[in-house]
Amino acid sequence: MDELIQEAARSILGSKLTIALTGAGISVESGIPDFRSRGGLWDRFDPDEYATINSFKRSPEKVWEMLREMEETIDAAETNEAHTGLAELERMGLLQTVITQNVDNLHQEAGSRDVIEYHGNSRSLTCLWCNNSYDYKEKKGEYPPRCECGKILKPDVIFFGEAIPFDAMTRSTQLASTCQVLLIIGTSAVVFPFNLLPRQAKQAGSKIIEINLEKTALTDHIIDIFLQGKASVKVSQLVSVVRELRGG
Ligand code: APR
């Protein structure tokens, strides 16, 4: 495994543009369960009933049962060494952007400055009726949170059936098709259109490094370097080898 880490570190040092794609697996060690592993969120809440925009419009109170659990877990979560490692690579000028599917804000809390939130963020809420917007702190502890117009607020996360924010989609596609190295960490890569990004990067000739507990649908097809293990362990090993090869 050390040779793989060395090879990954050398690729990053030789790259003019490196980006990272992250999913729920990068925050599992921060105490936030992922979606599709055993015991994950979709084991307990059927996404067709709790995670589509139509299910939210049909029964917002019910969807807020799941959202409340997510919010309380996110509030209790701390960044882990995978988040802080990516922020350090950015500070070293070796990582341009993190494109995350996560809505937990942990990349930003770890110090990453260029973060594209592909599936929105749970730190603000919007009224679908009068378009009022609130910081989540204004409604903390209020379940379900209501707009001053009386309607139940929706967090600014992207539900199934909603469009990916235009700027996020445009910038992510542009970066994926021009990067030289792509790190993909803690995602099953099953959700469209996010899962097009690694394929776009491959088509553009980039080297793809995957960090995951187990193989994914990508591993045997487009991954050049597979670092199997916990995100916090692999990212911190990778960053320390990068630091060593770079001479501190
Ligand atoms: N270290 C590394 N990888 C991990 C860890 C860990 N500690 N824990 C879990 N993983 C891996 C799992 O093996 C899995 O491949 O993280 C991945 C998590 O996959 P999902 O649960 O499908 O999460 P994600 O890929 O982010 O889901 C994408 O689906 O439901 C929607 O909007 C939701 O953004 C989410 C999207």
Side-chain angles (χ1 to χ4, degrees), residues 23-25 28-29 34-37 42 101 119 160 186-189 191 212-214 216 229-231:
V28 165
E29 292 159 84
D34 67 11
F35 295 94
R36 294 174 181 82
S37 295
W42 295 158
Q101 300 170 93
H119 289 162
F160 288 113
T187 180
S188 58
V191 171
N212 201 305
L213 282 182
E214 57 197 21
T216 66
K230 287 186 174 182

mmCIF file with all atom_site columns, all heavy atoms in Angstrom, residues 23-25 28-29 34-37 42 101 119 160 186-189 191 212-214 216 229-231, ligand 1:
data_model
loop_
_atom_site.group_PDB
_atom_site.id
_atom_site.type_symbol
_atom_site.label_atom_id
_atom_site.label_alt_id
_atom_site.label_comp_id
_atom_site.label_asym_id
_atom_site.label_entity_id
_atom_site.label_seq_id
_atom_site.pdbx_PDB_ins_code
_atom_site.Cartn_x
_atom_site.Cartn_y
_atom_site.Cartn_z
_atom_site.occupancy
_atom_site.B_iso_or_equiv
_atom_site.pdbx_formal_charge
_atom_site.auth_seq_id
_atom_site.auth_comp_id
_atom_site.auth_asym_id
_atom_site.auth_atom_id
_atom_site.pdbx_PDB_model_num
ATOM   1   N N   . GLY A 1 23  ? -17.918 12.396 -0.915 1.00 0.00 ? 23  GLY A N   1
ATOM   2   C CA  . GLY A 1 23  ? -19.273 11.942 -0.564 1.00 0.00 ? 23  GLY A CA  1
ATOM   3   C C   . GLY A 1 23  ? -19.352 11.675 0.922  1.00 0.00 ? 23  GLY A C   1
ATOM   4   O O   . GLY A 1 23  ? -18.412 11.928 1.683  1.00 0.00 ? 23  GLY A O   1
ATOM   5   N N   . ALA A 1 24  ? -20.479 11.110 1.326  1.00 0.00 ? 24  ALA A N   1
ATOM   6   C CA  . ALA A 1 24  ? -20.797 10.943 2.754  1.00 0.00 ? 24  ALA A CA  1
ATOM   7   C C   . ALA A 1 24  ? -19.730 10.159 3.517  1.00 0.00 ? 24  ALA A C   1
ATOM   8   O O   . ALA A 1 24  ? -19.524 10.357 4.719  1.00 0.00 ? 24  ALA A O   1
ATOM   9   C CB  . ALA A 1 24  ? -22.150 10.243 2.881  1.00 0.00 ? 24  ALA A CB  1
ATOM   10  N N   . GLY A 1 25  ? -19.010 9.283  2.829  1.00 0.00 ? 25  GLY A N   1
ATOM   11  C CA  . GLY A 1 25  ? -18.001 8.460  3.504  1.00 0.00 ? 25  GLY A CA  1
ATOM   12  C C   . GLY A 1 25  ? -16.906 9.275  4.153  1.00 0.00 ? 25  GLY A C   1
ATOM   13  O O   . GLY A 1 25  ? -16.307 8.849  5.147  1.00 0.00 ? 25  GLY A O   1
ATOM   14  N N   . VAL A 1 28  ? -18.138 10.067 7.729  1.00 0.00 ? 28  VAL A N   1
ATOM   15  C CA  . VAL A 1 28  ? -18.596 8.982  8.635  1.00 0.00 ? 28  VAL A CA  1
ATOM   16  C C   . VAL A 1 28  ? -17.776 8.998  9.925  1.00 0.00 ? 28  VAL A C   1
ATOM   17  O O   . VAL A 1 28  ? -18.310 8.841  11.026 1.00 0.00 ? 28  VAL A O   1
ATOM   18  C CB  . VAL A 1 28  ? -18.498 7.614  7.915  1.00 0.00 ? 28  VAL A CB  1
ATOM   19  C CG1 . VAL A 1 28  ? -18.592 6.459  8.902  1.00 0.00 ? 28  VAL A CG1 1
ATOM   20  C CG2 . VAL A 1 28  ? -19.615 7.498  6.869  1.00 0.00 ? 28  VAL A CG2 1
ATOM   21  N N   . GLU A 1 29  ? -16.472 9.237  9.827  1.00 0.00 ? 29  GLU A N   1
ATOM   22  C CA  . GLU A 1 29  ? -15.639 9.246  11.046 1.00 0.00 ? 29  GLU A CA  1
ATOM   23  C C   . GLU A 1 29  ? -15.870 10.504 11.878 1.00 0.00 ? 29  GLU A C   1
ATOM   24  O O   . GLU A 1 29  ? -15.337 10.622 12.976 1.00 0.00 ? 29  GLU A O   1
ATOM   25  C CB  . GLU A 1 29  ? -14.152 9.125  10.648 1.00 0.00 ? 29  GLU A CB  1
ATOM   26  C CG  . GLU A 1 29  ? -13.829 7.739  10.056 1.00 0.00 ? 29  GLU A CG  1
ATOM   27  C CD  . GLU A 1 29  ? -12.588 7.777  9.218  1.00 0.00 ? 29  GLU A CD  1
ATOM   28  O OE1 . GLU A 1 29  ? -11.494 7.660  9.789  1.00 0.00 ? 29  GLU A OE1 1
ATOM   29  O OE2 . GLU A 1 29  ? -12.714 7.926  7.995  1.00 0.00 ? 29  GLU A OE2 1
ATOM   30  N N   . ASP A 1 34  ? -23.382 7.420  6.598  1.00 0.00 ? 34  ASP A N   1
ATOM   31  C CA  . ASP A 1 34  ? -23.573 7.649  5.154  1.00 0.00 ? 34  ASP A CA  1
ATOM   32  C C   . ASP A 1 34  ? -24.966 7.145  4.777  1.00 0.00 ? 34  ASP A C   1
ATOM   33  O O   . ASP A 1 34  ? -25.827 6.939  5.644  1.00 0.00 ? 34  ASP A O   1
ATOM   34  C CB  . ASP A 1 34  ? -22.424 7.000  4.355  1.00 0.00 ? 34  ASP A CB  1
ATOM   35  C CG  . ASP A 1 34  ? -22.435 5.476  4.433  1.00 0.00 ? 34  ASP A CG  1
ATOM   36  O OD1 . ASP A 1 34  ? -23.438 4.906  4.913  1.00 0.00 ? 34  ASP A OD1 1
ATOM   37  O OD2 . ASP A 1 34  ? -21.435 4.865  4.034  1.00 0.00 ? 34  ASP A OD2 1
ATOM   38  N N   . PHE A 1 35  ? -25.222 6.997  3.501  1.00 0.00 ? 35  PHE A N   1
ATOM   39  C CA  . PHE A 1 35  ? -26.600 6.688  3.067  1.00 0.00 ? 35  PHE A CA  1
ATOM   40  C C   . PHE A 1 35  ? -26.791 5.207  2.761  1.00 0.00 ? 35  PHE A C   1
ATOM   41  O O   . PHE A 1 35  ? -27.812 4.617  3.122  1.00 0.00 ? 35  PHE A O   1
ATOM   42  C CB  . PHE A 1 35  ? -26.931 7.523  1.804  1.00 0.00 ? 35  PHE A CB  1
ATOM   43  C CG  . PHE A 1 35  ? -26.950 9.000  2.072  1.00 0.00 ? 35  PHE A CG  1
ATOM   44  C CD1 . PHE A 1 35  ? -25.812 9.776  1.857  1.00 0.00 ? 35  PHE A CD1 1
ATOM   45  C CD2 . PHE A 1 35  ? -28.082 9.607  2.575  1.00 0.00 ? 35  PHE A CD2 1
ATOM   46  C CE1 . PHE A 1 35  ? -25.818 11.139 2.124  1.00 0.00 ? 35  PHE A CE1 1
ATOM   47  C CE2 . PHE A 1 35  ? -28.107 10.977 2.842  1.00 0.00 ? 35  PHE A CE2 1
ATOM   48  C CZ  . PHE A 1 35  ? -26.966 11.740 2.615  1.00 0.00 ? 35  PHE A CZ  1
ATOM   49  N N   . ARG A 1 36  ? -25.771 4.611  2.070  1.00 0.00 ? 36  ARG A N   1
ATOM   50  C CA  . ARG A 1 36  ? -26.033 3.280  1.492  1.00 0.00 ? 36  ARG A CA  1
ATOM   51  C C   . ARG A 1 36  ? -25.256 2.147  2.149  1.00 0.00 ? 36  ARG A C   1
ATOM   52  O O   . ARG A 1 36  ? -25.447 0.997  1.793  1.00 0.00 ? 36  ARG A O   1
ATOM   53  C CB  . ARG A 1 36  ? -25.742 3.336  -0.023 1.00 0.00 ? 36  ARG A CB  1
ATOM   54  C CG  . ARG A 1 36  ? -26.727 4.262  -0.741 1.00 0.00 ? 36  ARG A CG  1
ATOM   55  C CD  . ARG A 1 36  ? -26.403 4.478  -2.217 1.00 0.00 ? 36  ARG A CD  1
ATOM   56  N NE  . ARG A 1 36  ? -27.389 5.382  -2.799 1.00 0.00 ? 36  ARG A NE  1
ATOM   57  C CZ  . ARG A 1 36  ? -27.315 6.709  -2.694 1.00 0.00 ? 36  ARG A CZ  1
ATOM   58  N NH1 . ARG A 1 36  ? -26.301 7.275  -2.057 1.00 0.00 ? 36  ARG A NH1 1
ATOM   59  N NH2 . ARG A 1 36  ? -28.249 7.508  -3.192 1.00 0.00 ? 36  ARG A NH2 1
ATOM   60  N N   . SER A 1 37  ? -24.365 2.478  3.092  1.00 0.00 ? 37  SER A N   1
ATOM   61  C CA  . SER A 1 37  ? -23.733 1.375  3.836  1.00 0.00 ? 37  SER A CA  1
ATOM   62  C C   . SER A 1 37  ? -24.779 0.783  4.787  1.00 0.00 ? 37  SER A C   1
ATOM   63  O O   . SER A 1 37  ? -25.816 1.389  5.053  1.00 0.00 ? 37  SER A O   1
ATOM   64  C CB  . SER A 1 37  ? -22.535 1.897  4.651  1.00 0.00 ? 37  SER A CB  1
ATOM   65  O OG  . SER A 1 37  ? -21.522 2.358  3.785  1.00 0.00 ? 37  SER A OG  1
ATOM   66  N N   . TRP A 1 42  ? -30.466 5.593  4.509  1.00 0.00 ? 42  TRP A N   1
ATOM   67  C CA  . TRP A 1 42  ? -31.531 5.015  3.666  1.00 0.00 ? 42  TRP A CA  1
ATOM   68  C C   . TRP A 1 42  ? -31.950 3.635  4.160  1.00 0.00 ? 42  TRP A C   1
ATOM   69  O O   . TRP A 1 42  ? -32.925 3.075  3.672  1.00 0.00 ? 42  TRP A O   1
ATOM   70  C CB  . TRP A 1 42  ? -31.107 4.967  2.201  1.00 0.00 ? 42  TRP A CB  1
ATOM   71  C CG  . TRP A 1 42  ? -30.880 6.294  1.538  1.00 0.00 ? 42  TRP A CG  1
ATOM   72  C CD1 . TRP A 1 42  ? -30.115 6.523  0.424  1.00 0.00 ? 42  TRP A CD1 1
ATOM   73  C CD2 . TRP A 1 42  ? -31.392 7.596  1.896  1.00 0.00 ? 42  TRP A CD2 1
ATOM   74  N NE1 . TRP A 1 42  ? -30.125 7.850  0.077  1.00 0.00 ? 42  TRP A NE1 1
ATOM   75  C CE2 . TRP A 1 42  ? -30.880 8.540  0.978  1.00 0.00 ? 42  TRP A CE2 1
ATOM   76  C CE3 . TRP A 1 42  ? -32.215 8.077  2.926  1.00 0.00 ? 42  TRP A CE3 1
ATOM   77  C CZ2 . TRP A 1 42  ? -31.167 9.904  1.031  1.00 0.00 ? 42  TRP A CZ2 1
ATOM   78  C CZ3 . TRP A 1 42  ? -32.504 9.419  2.983  1.00 0.00 ? 42  TRP A CZ3 1
ATOM   79  C CH2 . TRP A 1 42  ? -31.991 10.322 2.057  1.00 0.00 ? 42  TRP A CH2 1
ATOM   80  N N   . GLN A 1 101 ? -20.684 16.309 -2.299 1.00 0.00 ? 101 GLN A N   1
ATOM   81  C CA  . GLN A 1 101 ? -22.120 16.000 -2.289 1.00 0.00 ? 101 GLN A CA  1
ATOM   82  C C   . GLN A 1 101 ? -22.685 16.231 -0.886 1.00 0.00 ? 101 GLN A C   1
ATOM   83  O O   . GLN A 1 101 ? -23.895 16.176 -0.695 1.00 0.00 ? 101 GLN A O   1
ATOM   84  C CB  . GLN A 1 101 ? -22.372 14.545 -2.689 1.00 0.00 ? 101 GLN A CB  1
ATOM   85  C CG  . GLN A 1 101 ? -21.869 14.181 -4.072 1.00 0.00 ? 101 GLN A CG  1
ATOM   86  C CD  . GLN A 1 101 ? -21.925 12.695 -4.301 1.00 0.00 ? 101 GLN A CD  1
ATOM   87  O OE1 . GLN A 1 101 ? -22.906 12.164 -4.829 1.00 0.00 ? 101 GLN A OE1 1
ATOM   88  N NE2 . GLN A 1 101 ? -20.868 11.990 -3.909 1.00 0.00 ? 101 GLN A NE2 1
ATOM   89  N N   . HIS A 1 119 ? -24.814 19.384 -3.837 1.00 0.00 ? 119 HIS A N   1
ATOM   90  C CA  . HIS A 1 119 ? -26.170 19.070 -3.371 1.00 0.00 ? 119 HIS A CA  1
ATOM   91  C C   . HIS A 1 119 ? -26.655 20.091 -2.349 1.00 0.00 ? 119 HIS A C   1
ATOM   92  O O   . HIS A 1 119 ? -27.454 19.778 -1.469 1.00 0.00 ? 119 HIS A O   1
ATOM   93  C CB  . HIS A 1 119 ? -26.224 17.650 -2.783 1.00 0.00 ? 119 HIS A CB  1
ATOM   94  C CG  . HIS A 1 119 ? -26.102 16.592 -3.829 1.00 0.00 ? 119 HIS A CG  1
ATOM   95  N ND1 . HIS A 1 119 ? -25.759 15.286 -3.555 1.00 0.00 ? 119 HIS A ND1 1
ATOM   96  C CD2 . HIS A 1 119 ? -26.249 16.636 -5.182 1.00 0.00 ? 119 HIS A CD2 1
ATOM   97  C CE1 . HIS A 1 119 ? -25.712 14.575 -4.676 1.00 0.00 ? 119 HIS A CE1 1
ATOM   98  N NE2 . HIS A 1 119 ? -25.993 15.376 -5.683 1.00 0.00 ? 119 HIS A NE2 1
ATOM   99  N N   . PHE A 1 160 ? -33.910 14.753 -4.324 1.00 0.00 ? 160 PHE A N   1
ATOM   100 C CA  . PHE A 1 160 ? -34.091 14.043 -5.594 1.00 0.00 ? 160 PHE A CA  1
ATOM   101 C C   . PHE A 1 160 ? -35.256 14.703 -6.330 1.00 0.00 ? 160 PHE A C   1
ATOM   102 O O   . PHE A 1 160 ? -36.268 15.021 -5.725 1.00 0.00 ? 160 PHE A O   1
ATOM   103 C CB  . PHE A 1 160 ? -34.395 12.558 -5.349 1.00 0.00 ? 160 PHE A CB  1
ATOM   104 C CG  . PHE A 1 160 ? -33.212 11.763 -4.867 1.00 0.00 ? 160 PHE A CG  1
ATOM   105 C CD1 . PHE A 1 160 ? -33.203 11.235 -3.585 1.00 0.00 ? 160 PHE A CD1 1
ATOM   106 C CD2 . PHE A 1 160 ? -32.103 11.572 -5.684 1.00 0.00 ? 160 PHE A CD2 1
ATOM   107 C CE1 . PHE A 1 160 ? -32.099 10.515 -3.125 1.00 0.00 ? 160 PHE A CE1 1
ATOM   108 C CE2 . PHE A 1 160 ? -31.008 10.849 -5.240 1.00 0.00 ? 160 PHE A CE2 1
ATOM   109 C CZ  . PHE A 1 160 ? -31.006 10.322 -3.957 1.00 0.00 ? 160 PHE A CZ  1
ATOM   110 N N   . GLY A 1 186 ? -14.829 8.613  -0.532 1.00 0.00 ? 186 GLY A N   1
ATOM   111 C CA  . GLY A 1 186 ? -16.014 8.330  0.287  1.00 0.00 ? 186 GLY A CA  1
ATOM   112 C C   . GLY A 1 186 ? -17.326 8.515  -0.426 1.00 0.00 ? 186 GLY A C   1
ATOM   113 O O   . GLY A 1 186 ? -18.293 9.021  0.150  1.00 0.00 ? 186 GLY A O   1
ATOM   114 N N   . THR A 1 187 ? -17.383 8.073  -1.702 1.00 0.00 ? 187 THR A N   1
ATOM   115 C CA  . THR A 1 187 ? -18.661 8.128  -2.399 1.00 0.00 ? 187 THR A CA  1
ATOM   116 C C   . THR A 1 187 ? -18.876 6.843  -3.175 1.00 0.00 ? 187 THR A C   1
ATOM   117 O O   . THR A 1 187 ? -17.954 6.266  -3.751 1.00 0.00 ? 187 THR A O   1
ATOM   118 C CB  . THR A 1 187 ? -18.771 9.338  -3.352 1.00 0.00 ? 187 THR A CB  1
ATOM   119 O OG1 . THR A 1 187 ? -20.055 9.311  -4.008 1.00 0.00 ? 187 THR A OG1 1
ATOM   120 C CG2 . THR A 1 187 ? -17.675 9.359  -4.394 1.00 0.00 ? 187 THR A CG2 1
ATOM   121 N N   . SER A 1 188 ? -20.148 6.377  -3.161 1.00 0.00 ? 188 SER A N   1
ATOM   122 C CA  . SER A 1 188 ? -20.488 5.162  -3.919 1.00 0.00 ? 188 SER A CA  1
ATOM   123 C C   . SER A 1 188 ? -20.606 5.488  -5.403 1.00 0.00 ? 188 SER A C   1
ATOM   124 O O   . SER A 1 188 ? -20.703 4.603  -6.240 1.00 0.00 ? 188 SER A O   1
ATOM   125 C CB  . SER A 1 188 ? -21.822 4.601  -3.410 1.00 0.00 ? 188 SER A CB  1
ATOM   126 O OG  . SER A 1 188 ? -22.837 5.601  -3.550 1.00 0.00 ? 188 SER A OG  1
ATOM   127 N N   . ALA A 1 189 ? -20.632 6.782  -5.708 1.00 0.00 ? 189 ALA A N   1
ATOM   128 C CA  . ALA A 1 189 ? -20.687 7.267  -7.106 1.00 0.00 ? 189 ALA A CA  1
ATOM   129 C C   . ALA A 1 189 ? -21.854 6.651  -7.876 1.00 0.00 ? 189 ALA A C   1
ATOM   130 O O   . ALA A 1 189 ? -21.706 6.250  -9.037 1.00 0.00 ? 189 ALA A O   1
ATOM   131 C CB  . ALA A 1 189 ? -19.367 6.968  -7.821 1.00 0.00 ? 189 ALA A CB  1
ATOM   132 N N   . VAL A 1 191 ? -25.007 8.289  -7.749 1.00 0.00 ? 191 VAL A N   1
ATOM   133 C CA  . VAL A 1 191 ? -26.040 9.309  -7.984 1.00 0.00 ? 191 VAL A CA  1
ATOM   134 C C   . VAL A 1 191 ? -25.677 10.196 -9.168 1.00 0.00 ? 191 VAL A C   1
ATOM   135 O O   . VAL A 1 191 ? -24.581 10.768 -9.220 1.00 0.00 ? 191 VAL A O   1
ATOM   136 C CB  . VAL A 1 191 ? -26.255 10.148 -6.699 1.00 0.00 ? 191 VAL A CB  1
ATOM   137 C CG1 . VAL A 1 191 ? -27.154 11.348 -6.965 1.00 0.00 ? 191 VAL A CG1 1
ATOM   138 C CG2 . VAL A 1 191 ? -26.873 9.272  -5.624 1.00 0.00 ? 191 VAL A CG2 1
ATOM   139 N N   . ASN A 1 212 ? -11.596 4.721  -0.485 1.00 0.00 ? 212 ASN A N   1
ATOM   140 C CA  . ASN A 1 212 ? -12.882 4.177  -0.042 1.00 0.00 ? 212 ASN A CA  1
ATOM   141 C C   . ASN A 1 212 ? -12.610 2.936  0.803  1.00 0.00 ? 212 ASN A C   1
ATOM   142 O O   . ASN A 1 212 ? -11.589 2.287  0.650  1.00 0.00 ? 212 ASN A O   1
ATOM   143 C CB  . ASN A 1 212 ? -13.753 3.810  -1.257 1.00 0.00 ? 212 ASN A CB  1
ATOM   144 C CG  . ASN A 1 212 ? -15.237 3.730  -0.901 1.00 0.00 ? 212 ASN A CG  1
ATOM   145 O OD1 . ASN A 1 212 ? -15.609 3.000  0.020  1.00 0.00 ? 212 ASN A OD1 1
ATOM   146 N ND2 . ASN A 1 212 ? -16.067 4.491  -1.594 1.00 0.00 ? 212 ASN A ND2 1
ATOM   147 N N   . LEU A 1 213 ? -13.574 2.653  1.699  1.00 0.00 ? 213 LEU A N   1
ATOM   148 C CA  . LEU A 1 213 ? -13.455 1.425  2.513  1.00 0.00 ? 213 LEU A CA  1
ATOM   149 C C   . LEU A 1 213 ? -13.497 0.183  1.627  1.00 0.00 ? 213 LEU A C   1
ATOM   150 O O   . LEU A 1 213 ? -12.919 -0.850 1.928  1.00 0.00 ? 213 LEU A O   1
ATOM   151 C CB  . LEU A 1 213 ? -14.625 1.345  3.508  1.00 0.00 ? 213 LEU A CB  1
ATOM   152 C CG  . LEU A 1 213 ? -14.594 2.202  4.764  1.00 0.00 ? 213 LEU A CG  1
ATOM   153 C CD1 . LEU A 1 213 ? -15.827 1.917  5.607  1.00 0.00 ? 213 LEU A CD1 1
ATOM   154 C CD2 . LEU A 1 213 ? -13.323 1.973  5.571  1.00 0.00 ? 213 LEU A CD2 1
ATOM   155 N N   . GLU A 1 214 ? -14.278 0.291  0.550  1.00 0.00 ? 214 GLU A N   1
ATOM   156 C CA  . GLU A 1 214 ? -14.445 -0.891 -0.324 1.00 0.00 ? 214 GLU A CA  1
ATOM   157 C C   . GLU A 1 214 ? -14.494 -0.434 -1.779 1.00 0.00 ? 214 GLU A C   1
ATOM   158 O O   . GLU A 1 214 ? -14.629 0.748  -2.070 1.00 0.00 ? 214 GLU A O   1
ATOM   159 C CB  . GLU A 1 214 ? -15.743 -1.619 0.050  1.00 0.00 ? 214 GLU A CB  1
ATOM   160 C CG  . GLU A 1 214 ? -16.968 -0.738 -0.031 1.00 0.00 ? 214 GLU A CG  1
ATOM   161 C CD  . GLU A 1 214 ? -18.176 -1.318 0.726  1.00 0.00 ? 214 GLU A CD  1
ATOM   162 O OE1 . GLU A 1 214 ? -17.993 -2.162 1.616  1.00 0.00 ? 214 GLU A OE1 1
ATOM   163 O OE2 . GLU A 1 214 ? -19.287 -0.873 0.398  1.00 0.00 ? 214 GLU A OE2 1
ATOM   164 N N   . THR A 1 216 ? -15.881 0.369  -5.467 1.00 0.00 ? 216 THR A N   1
ATOM   165 C CA  . THR A 1 216 ? -17.150 0.917  -5.936 1.00 0.00 ? 216 THR A CA  1
ATOM   166 C C   . THR A 1 216 ? -17.325 0.543  -7.409 1.00 0.00 ? 216 THR A C   1
ATOM   167 O O   . THR A 1 216 ? -16.466 -0.138 -7.983 1.00 0.00 ? 216 THR A O   1
ATOM   168 C CB  . THR A 1 216 ? -17.137 2.461  -5.851 1.00 0.00 ? 216 THR A CB  1
ATOM   169 O OG1 . THR A 1 216 ? -16.142 2.935  -6.792 1.00 0.00 ? 216 THR A OG1 1
ATOM   170 C CG2 . THR A 1 216 ? -16.781 2.940  -4.448 1.00 0.00 ? 216 THR A CG2 1
ATOM   171 N N   . GLY A 1 229 ? -9.340  1.964  2.444  1.00 0.00 ? 229 GLY A N   1
ATOM   172 C CA  . GLY A 1 229 ? -9.250  2.196  3.883  1.00 0.00 ? 229 GLY A CA  1
ATOM   173 C C   . GLY A 1 229 ? -10.070 3.394  4.295  1.00 0.00 ? 229 GLY A C   1
ATOM   174 O O   . GLY A 1 229 ? -10.796 3.988  3.494  1.00 0.00 ? 229 GLY A O   1
ATOM   175 N N   . LYS A 1 230 ? -9.936  3.769  5.557  1.00 0.00 ? 230 LYS A N   1
ATOM   176 C CA  . LYS A 1 230 ? -10.709 4.903  6.081  1.00 0.00 ? 230 LYS A CA  1
ATOM   177 C C   . LYS A 1 230 ? -10.178 6.212  5.497  1.00 0.00 ? 230 LYS A C   1
ATOM   178 O O   . LYS A 1 230 ? -8.966  6.406  5.394  1.00 0.00 ? 230 LYS A O   1
ATOM   179 C CB  . LYS A 1 230 ? -10.599 4.942  7.615  1.00 0.00 ? 230 LYS A CB  1
ATOM   180 C CG  . LYS A 1 230 ? -11.381 3.849  8.315  1.00 0.00 ? 230 LYS A CG  1
ATOM   181 C CD  . LYS A 1 230 ? -11.331 4.047  9.808  1.00 0.00 ? 230 LYS A CD  1
ATOM   182 C CE  . LYS A 1 230 ? -12.248 3.043  10.523 1.00 0.00 ? 230 LYS A CE  1
ATOM   183 N NZ  . LYS A 1 230 ? -12.238 3.266  11.989 1.00 0.00 ? 230 LYS A NZ  1
ATOM   184 N N   . ALA A 1 231 ? -11.090 7.095  5.173  1.00 0.00 ? 231 ALA A N   1
ATOM   185 C CA  . ALA A 1 231 ? -10.711 8.366  4.549  1.00 0.00 ? 231 ALA A CA  1
ATOM   186 C C   . ALA A 1 231 ? -9.708  9.129  5.415  1.00 0.00 ? 231 ALA A C   1
ATOM   187 O O   . ALA A 1 231 ? -8.689  9.618  4.914  1.00 0.00 ? 231 ALA A O   1
ATOM   188 C CB  . ALA A 1 231 ? -11.960 9.210  4.325  1.00 0.00 ? 231 ALA A CB  1
HETATM 189 N N1  . APR B 2 .   ? -13.806 6.061  4.748  1.00 0.00 ? 1   APR B N1  1
HETATM 190 C C1  . APR B 2 .   ? -13.885 5.957  3.389  1.00 0.00 ? 1   APR B C1  1
HETATM 191 N N2  . APR B 2 .   ? -15.024 5.602  2.726  1.00 0.00 ? 1   APR B N2  1
HETATM 192 C C2  . APR B 2 .   ? -16.106 5.341  3.486  1.00 0.00 ? 1   APR B C2  1
HETATM 193 C C3  . APR B 2 .   ? -16.101 5.428  4.903  1.00 0.00 ? 1   APR B C3  1
HETATM 194 C C4  . APR B 2 .   ? -14.887 5.812  5.530  1.00 0.00 ? 1   APR B C4  1
HETATM 195 N N3  . APR B 2 .   ? -14.772 5.916  6.874  1.00 0.00 ? 1   APR B N3  1
HETATM 196 N N4  . APR B 2 .   ? -17.345 5.098  5.358  1.00 0.00 ? 1   APR B N4  1
HETATM 197 C C5  . APR B 2 .   ? -18.083 4.821  4.266  1.00 0.00 ? 1   APR B C5  1
HETATM 198 N N5  . APR B 2 .   ? -17.351 4.970  3.145  1.00 0.00 ? 1   APR B N5  1
HETATM 199 C C6  . APR B 2 .   ? -17.779 4.815  1.752  1.00 0.00 ? 1   APR B C6  1
HETATM 200 C C7  . APR B 2 .   ? -18.748 3.689  1.499  1.00 0.00 ? 1   APR B C7  1
HETATM 201 O O1  . APR B 2 .   ? -18.044 2.490  1.198  1.00 0.00 ? 1   APR B O1  1
HETATM 202 C C8  . APR B 2 .   ? -19.502 4.206  0.265  1.00 0.00 ? 1   APR B C8  1
HETATM 203 O O2  . APR B 2 .   ? -18.837 3.841  -0.939 1.00 0.00 ? 1   APR B O2  1
HETATM 204 O O3  . APR B 2 .   ? -18.465 5.996  1.416  1.00 0.00 ? 1   APR B O3  1
HETATM 205 C C9  . APR B 2 .   ? -19.439 5.724  0.414  1.00 0.00 ? 1   APR B C9  1
HETATM 206 C C10 . APR B 2 .   ? -20.762 6.341  0.841  1.00 0.00 ? 1   APR B C10 1
HETATM 207 O O4  . APR B 2 .   ? -21.692 6.122  -0.205 1.00 0.00 ? 1   APR B O4  1
HETATM 208 P P1  . APR B 2 .   ? -23.178 6.680  -0.041 1.00 0.00 ? 1   APR B P1  1
HETATM 209 O O5  . APR B 2 .   ? -23.695 6.305  1.296  1.00 0.00 ? 1   APR B O5  1
HETATM 210 O O6  . APR B 2 .   ? -23.916 6.261  -1.271 1.00 0.00 ? 1   APR B O6  1
HETATM 211 O O7  . APR B 2 .   ? -22.994 8.273  -0.015 1.00 0.00 ? 1   APR B O7  1
HETATM 212 P P2  . APR B 2 .   ? -22.770 9.229  -1.261 1.00 0.00 ? 1   APR B P2  1
HETATM 213 O O8  . APR B 2 .   ? -21.980 8.544  -2.323 1.00 0.00 ? 1   APR B O8  1
HETATM 214 O O9  . APR B 2 .   ? -22.237 10.499 -0.725 1.00 0.00 ? 1   APR B O9  1
HETATM 215 O O10 . APR B 2 .   ? -24.287 9.472  -1.765 1.00 0.00 ? 1   APR B O10 1
HETATM 216 C C11 . APR B 2 .   ? -24.456 10.396 -2.783 1.00 0.00 ? 1   APR B C11 1
HETATM 217 O O11 . APR B 2 .   ? -26.840 10.191 -2.537 1.00 0.00 ? 1   APR B O11 1
HETATM 218 O O12 . APR B 2 .   ? -28.678 10.021 -1.237 1.00 0.00 ? 1   APR B O12 1
HETATM 219 C C12 . APR B 2 .   ? -27.927 10.885 -1.977 1.00 0.00 ? 1   APR B C12 1
HETATM 220 O O13 . APR B 2 .   ? -27.864 13.192 -1.677 1.00 0.00 ? 1   APR B O13 1
HETATM 221 C C13 . APR B 2 .   ? -27.383 11.999 -1.138 1.00 0.00 ? 1   APR B C13 1
HETATM 222 O O14 . APR B 2 .   ? -25.323 13.201 -1.511 1.00 0.00 ? 1   APR B O14 1
HETATM 223 C C14 . APR B 2 .   ? -25.887 11.911 -1.342 1.00 0.00 ? 1   APR B C14 1
HETATM 224 C C15 . APR B 2 .   ? -25.765 11.096 -2.612 1.00 0.00 ? 1   APR B C15 1
#
